[in-house]
Amino acid sequence: MTKEAILDLQGLSKSYDDSIAVDNIDLSILPGEFLTFLGPSGSGKTTTLNLIAGFVEPTAGSMLLNGAPLEKMPAHERNLGVVFQHYALFPHMTVTDNVAYPLKQRKFTAAKRAEAVRDVLKMVRLEKYASRYPAQLSGGQQQRVALARAIVYRPPILLMDEPLGALDKKLREWLQMELRRIHRELGSTFIYVTHDQEEALTLSDRIAVFNEGRIEQIGTGKELYDEPNTLFVGKFIGESSVFEGSMTDGRFHAGGKEYWGSGTVRDGPAALLVRPEKLSISDEAGSTLPEDLTNWVIGEIEDIVFVGSGMKYTVNTAIGGAVAHVPAERAVDTHIGDHVRVAWHPQDAKLLPA
Amino acid sequence: MANAPDTTQFSALSTQAIKSGSAKPNSQRKKSRGNGTRNLLLILLPSFIVLGIFYFYPMLTILVGAFTDPQVGLQNFQWFFGEQVNVDVLWRTLIISFWVTVICVLFAFPFSFFLTIVTPRTRGLLFLIVLVPFWTSMVVRTFAWVILLQDSGPIGEFMKLFGVQSLGLIRTPTAVLIGMAQVLLPFVVLPIYATMSKIDTRLLTAARSLGARPSKAFVSIYLPLSLPGVASGALLCFVMALGFYITPAMLGGSREAFLSTLIQGQVQGLAQWGHGAVIGFVLLFVTLVILGITGYVGKKTGGSVQDMVGGSKA
């Protein structure tokens, strides 16, 4: 990393009486990036966000904001923006008063406040709703007010905790685009928490995948999709077929057959991960497949779904379930219950410890 | 004594009517037409009859009596406002009721807040502490205060150990305030707690993230959101205090007489039914004016806050 980190988490941990929520996290967040904490519930992503925001005190480790220690500073002095899943708008204040609230705490003059509120409401496209109360707005509008309130004082970092979680799919997708636009316009650092991998891929420059209080892997969406370091990351990002077997003497065997894949894994239980679009489907003899497809397994078709761009096959094999996306022009005439050959190139398979 | 509890009851009813007087019940009523409305009226009929016979009829008698007993005219009103002592008692009733309300709110607010932050078990216990006196007879409780506050009572004896000869508490406005505040406290705690328990404390976290010190967050967010509860609690307390009879009569001296004491004196002592009726009339009038003002102000400010808070939950 060439750029200086805006926020540095070093050995950050948070444990409760009987559980460890965040386990020794090291993370450098770059200025201006859109970083997403992705993981299942209970993986520590929200706790990490709350540690940064100052709502929770760390048990160990340090946080440096532009080189200055953050962990001892009370939440109201950190000057970070926070957007919550539950909006947390003040119900007794109008949109204008909600957005002006952080400016009042910062002793802005009335004229400056009015100007800043007008500008930010324009940015989130709510200038017509300035005098409404939160209860008079839809969920999507309320969340945009919450966003406006969190960015109006231009915090260096904006923290968002599943902000679109309570909204329906259409609205969520539209607001994702809005968030990307606002991130570009502001140029500040966004840290976003979600359990939705599609949302993470849509929004983020980089994604940190959380599991059991640790960061499993951090990288761009493409890196995580193409080169997962662990089976967890491979399964969590995108769809995949996982063939389970074991390594012996540096060779991977599953169901009595040897397979090849990229990556090195120590002897022991291991798995081969293949993305759906890399799989081909054919009859049992493999008559429609090129001869160099040496990695294959026979299985029974459990389901066939038309997905617009092609067909999605779910196949049960002796070494694991396979999911294959086959483009319309290469779709084969098969039915549920048929036995088929599922094949792939060794270079498209990723060998991972299980 | 006869119509003092009546007034109290009426006040409580009106307060509820004001509190629930937001848009909801009306819109519901509009939706149910024809059969629904007729059935609803049928269900309400028994209570209307009971209220009519045992409540509205006696009240009407008293209101009419104020103008007709012993003969038709305004002489009862002339008597009431003509005698300085009556006006003094009216003032005193208002002022003591006001201070009782202030005391109750000052105690009920932190107590209710405390109720919202403790464990459900502790909360149950604290509620019990508030409500147990509420379930015992008013006379018994007032007697208990007489015993506690008199010079030969436990507090007085204890103070004598320190050389304080006479506590001088009983038969003072202070004794009346203590006694009334204790009786009325639950009526203030319950609405304030009801409002506070609905406040989303995550709003305070949000306020801190926006740069507000915890104390500032409390004053600018929590306090305004709890005001509707404070207002209804205070209103209930004040209006009920206006009609108090036993407590001021037993804990106060002759100089702490309330309007109800005056009514009792006129009706039972002097058989001046017209005078009693006119005092009842004045008491009812004052109560209605206060309810009217509060209702109007509430609609302008507090009521809309309550609607907003309710709305944001949906």
Side-chain angles (χ1 to χ4, degrees):
Chain A
M1 284 170 208
T2 48
K3 274 200 278 188
E4 190 84 356
I6 183 167
L7 182 65
D8 235 327
L9 311 183
Q10 295 165 350
L12 197 63
S13 296
K14 173 69 191 176
S15 48
Y16 295 99
D17 295 339
D18 50 350
S19 64
I20 299 170
V22 174
D23 190 3
N24 199 16
I25 280 183
D26 292 304
L27 179 62
S28 287
I29 295 145
L30 306 176
E33 79 171 324
F34 199 128
L35 176 70
T36 296
F37 294 173
L38 175 67
S41 59
S43 60
K45 55 192 194 309
T46 296
T47 310
T48 307
L49 197 81
N50 286 338
L51 284 167
I52 298 171
F55 304 147
V56 175
E57 262 188 61
T59 0
S62 65
M63 297 180 273
L64 297 172
L65 178 64
N66 288 320
L70 197 62
E71 64 273 4
K72 292 276 175 255
M73 198 186 275
H76 63 271
E77 287 173 13
R78 294 195 182 189
N79 196 34
L80 304 173
V82 187
V83 178
F84 305 86
Q85 179 177 7
H86 51 91
Y87 318 141
L89 294 177
F90 306 134
H92 59 301
M93 296 184 191
T94 61
V95 168
T96 301
D97 291 339
N98 263 285
V99 178
Y101 188 84
L103 302 176
K104 271 185 194 159
Q105 311 310 317
R106 287 165 176 75
K107 312 267 185 262
F108 274 51
T109 63
K112 273 195 161 175
R113 281 207 302 265
E115 196 192 332
V117 169
R118 204 167 45 240
D119 288 350
V120 78
L121 285 182
K122 208 170 159 191
M123 186 179 248
V124 298
R125 301 187 173 150
L126 280 176
E127 57 269 58
K128 285 191 194 116
Y129 299 89
S131 52
R132 296 265 190 107
Y133 284 95
Q136 298 168 315
L137 301 174
S138 70
Q141 290 167 335
Q142 290 189 40
Q143 195 54 294
R144 278 185 286 154
V145 175
L147 178 66
R149 189 178 64 176
I151 60 177
V152 68
Y153 50 98
R154 298 294 159 116
I157 301 177
L158 180 67
L159 310 170
M160 284 180 278
D161 187 6
E162 308 230 6
L164 310 181
L167 305 171
D168 63 69
K169 192 166 182 285
K170 265 254 144 52
L171 195 55
R172 209 161 56 222
E173 284 169 358
W174 179 69
L175 281 173
Q176 285 169 3
M177 293 304 121
E178 288 287 288
L179 276 177
R180 283 171 64 95
R181 173 180 65 81
I182 289 164
H183 178 243
R184 276 196 305 274
E185 284 179 27
L186 281 178
S188 55
T189 311
F190 281 28
I191 301 177
Y192 192 95
V193 165
T194 184
H195 62 267
D196 180 348
Q197 50 105 7
E198 242 176 277
E199 188 164 278
L201 291 171
T202 307
L203 290 171
S204 330
D205 297 323
R206 286 199 302 160
I207 300 171
V209 181
F210 277 69
N211 186 30
E212 295 180 341
R214 294 167 177 274
I215 295 179
E216 290 257 335
Q217 191 175 355
I218 180 160
T220 63
K222 186 167 164 42
E223 284 166 7
L224 296 178
Y225 188 82
D226 292 342
E227 296 292 328
N229 282 345
T230 64
L231 201 54
F232 178 84
V233 173
K235 282 180 177 173
F236 206 81
I237 307 257
E239 275 188 299
S240 52
S241 308
V242 178
F243 302 114
E244 283 166 19
S246 62
M247 293 293 288
T248 35
D249 303 328
R251 288 159 174 267
F252 177 75
H253 291 271
K257 198 166 177 293
E258 184 175 0
Y259 294 93
W260 296 269
S262 59
T264 46
V265 177
R266 278 181 302 169
D267 282 1
L272 208 58
L273 187 125
V274 192
R275 295 299 181 185
E277 64 278 10
K278 306 291 189 190
L279 290 179
S280 302
I281 298 281
S282 169
D283 54 49
E284 277 189 82
S287 54
T288 61
L289 296 174
E291 279 191 6
D292 61 332
L293 277 183
T294 45
N295 267 4
W296 55 265
V297 63
I298 301 293
E300 184 187 331
I301 296 187
E302 191 190 313
D303 203 6
I304 306 173
V305 180
F306 174 66
V307 290
S309 57
M311 308 298 282
K312 179 175 155 186
Y313 299 87
T314 313
V315 183
N316 278 331
T317 77
I319 54 173
V323 182
H325 277 198
V326 179
E329 67 272 15
R330 288 205 282 121
V332 282
D333 183 28
T334 47
H335 304 92
I336 292 174
D338 285 357
H339 284 260
V340 290
R341 180 187 285 215
V342 181
W344 61 93
H345 289 286
Q347 67 266 28
D348 291 333
K350 179 84 185 164
L351 204 50
L352 294 165
Chain B
M1 181 166 181
N3 69 343
D6 266 6
T7 322
T8 322
Q9 238 174 16
F10 178 77
S11 313
L13 276 172
S14 320
T15 317
Q16 290 214 315
I18 283 187
K19 270 162 68 189
S20 60
S22 54
K24 271 185 206 156
N26 280 334
S27 60
Q28 273 169 0
R29 211 167 297 152
K30 262 177 211 159
K31 267 180 210 158
S32 54
R33 292 196 187 90
N35 264 341
T37 318
R38 206 177 310 138
N39 287 340
L40 197 67
L41 284 176
L42 219 63
I43 293 167
L44 288 174
L45 198 62
S47 37
F48 275 144
I49 292 172
V50 171
L51 274 178
I53 295 173
F54 297 103
Y55 180 63
F56 285 109
Y57 173 71
M59 183 146 81
L60 203 68
T61 323
I62 288 179
L63 293 186
V64 172
F67 294 94
T68 57
D69 197 311
Q71 68 255 24
V72 179
L74 292 174
Q75 77 280 355
N76 287 328
F77 288 86
Q78 279 162 357
W79 164 80
F80 183 82
F81 291 105
E83 300 231 0
Q84 188 55 39
V85 63
N86 294 338
V87 181
D88 286 347
V89 172
L90 173 61
W91 258 124
R92 184 187 305 136
T93 306
L94 288 171
I95 286 167
I96 291 186
S97 298
F98 172 78
W99 284 114
V100 166
T101 308
V102 170
I103 292 167
C104 280
V105 168
L106 287 181
F107 275 94
F109 191 90
F111 189 82
S112 307
F113 180 72
F114 194 61
L115 283 175
T116 63
I117 57 173
V118 295
T119 60
R121 214 186 135 85
T122 319
R123 187 182 308 137
L125 200 74
L126 289 172
F127 258 124
L128 208 65
I129 291 172
V130 176
L131 290 178
V132 160
F134 188 51
W135 293 325
T136 47
S137 146
M138 179 114 103
V139 182
V140 171
R141 266 190 294 173
T142 310
F143 263 120
W145 277 116
V146 172
I147 293 166
L148 276 173
L149 296 176
Q150 66 196 354
D151 286 350
S152 56
I155 301 173
E157 293 296 332
F158 181 73
M159 292 310 282
K160 275 175 196 160
L161 297 177
F162 300 95
V164 180
Q165 276 316 307
S166 171
L167 210 54
L169 264 181
I170 198 80
R171 313 230 166 274
T172 63
T174 314
V176 175
L177 284 180
I178 292 174
M180 286 179 70
Q182 194 252 335
V183 172
L184 289 168
L185 194 61
F187 293 97
V188 190
V189 168
L190 291 176
I192 296 184
Y193 169 73
T195 306
M196 280 183 173
S197 63
K198 279 190 235 134
I199 297 177
D200 185 353
T201 48
R202 295 177 302 187
L203 294 176
L204 297 178
T205 311
R208 281 198 296 144
S209 81
L210 295 167
R213 271 176 289 112
S215 58
K216 184 74 199 290
F218 187 88
V219 170
S220 60
I221 307 298
Y222 198 91
L223 197 63
L225 289 176
S226 66
L227 277 188
V230 173
S232 36
L235 182 67
L236 202 61
C237 175
F238 184 74
V239 165
M240 288 181 74
L242 287 180
F244 258 52
Y245 168 70
I246 297 172
T247 312
M250 284 173 65
L251 294 177
S254 56
R255 274 169 296 122
E256 280 75 47
F258 262 43
L259 278 182
S260 344
T261 327
L262 215 57
I263 295 175
Q264 191 250 358
Q266 289 297 325
V267 173
Q268 276 195 333
L270 306 171
Q272 287 281 6
W273 285 88
H275 289 175
V278 82
I279 304 168
F281 186 96
V282 169
L283 196 52
L284 184 60
F285 183 78
V286 169
T287 306
L288 288 179
V289 165
I290 288 161
L291 287 177
I293 293 172
T294 329
Y296 179 76
V297 175
K299 222 173 227 168
K300 286 252 155 181
T301 56
S304 53
V305 169
Q306 214 158 23
D307 285 347
M308 277 177 256
V309 177
S312 72
K313 288 270 166 189

